[in-house]
Amino acid sequence: MKKKKSSPGKENNERFIFEGTIVDPIKDIMFHVRLDHTNKIVLGYLSGKIRRNRIRVLLGDRVKILINEFDPEKGKIFYRFPPQSKKSRLKKIKNDHQAMENPTSTESTETANPIRKDS
């Protein structure tokens, strides 16, 4: 029996897996993703399993993206990291310097009417 030879084209078709953050949703299945290691923005589309299982990917979600060697500007989003826990989100809110600078004021909203004359 003859052994089946592997095609040389499949060996050269390397794929690279990166982590990133959704920056801009374009259409239903297309997103701009900012890669963590280079801060480069690439176009990502959802894989079939994510679409089939109706996993929602929203702005700011962390994802894994599979980028092909031949077109480094496009990639397939194949994994969405679970959202952060409530505790870590609360820590971010507590450490938010903008929220500390502008606390909500409890002053009364009554203002004097300068046009009104009492006489």
Side-chain angles (χ1 to χ4, degrees):
M1 297 184 101
K2 293 182 180 179
K3 291 184 179 179
K4 190 175 181 180
K5 294 182 181 179
S6 62
S7 63
K10 290 192 177 185
E11 293 173 4
N12 294 334
N13 190 8
E14 295 180 20
R15 294 181 175 183
F16 302 101
I17 297 173
F18 299 109
E19 293 181 8
T21 306
I22 301 293
V23 178
D24 182 30
I26 300 172
K27 291 184 181 178
D28 292 337
I29 62 168
M30 305 203 53
F31 301 91
H32 279 136
V33 179
R34 174 172 280 129
L35 302 179
D36 288 343
H37 72 290
T38 60
N39 285 335
K40 185 177 177 183
I41 295 179
V42 297
L43 181 69
Y45 57 92
L46 294 180
S47 69
K49 283 198 172 188
I50 289 182
R51 282 188 267 165
R52 198 175 320 127
N53 293 325
R54 296 184 180 142
I55 297 172
R56 291 196 170 195
V57 178
L58 302 173
L59 182 69
D61 282 348
R62 304 241 331 116
V63 294
K64 282 187 182 179
I65 188 166
L66 193 96
I67 296 180
N68 197 333
E69 177 185 359
F70 298 113
D71 192 3
E73 298 297 319
K74 287 185 181 178
K76 185 191 310 182
I77 298 170
F78 69 94
Y79 182 77
R80 176 183 157 253
F81 287 101
Q84 295 177 344
S85 66
K86 289 183 181 179
K87 289 181 181 179
S88 62
R89 278 186 269 168
L90 289 175
K91 285 180 184 177
K92 279 188 176 181
I93 292 172
K94 286 181 182 177
N95 295 334
D96 188 10
H97 67 280
Q98 291 177 346
M100 290 180 187
E101 290 175 4
N102 300 323
T104 57
S105 62
T106 58
E107 297 176 21
S108 63
T109 58
E110 295 178 22
T111 56
N113 190 354
I115 301 172
R116 183 177 173 195
K117 294 182 182 179
D118 291 333
S119 51

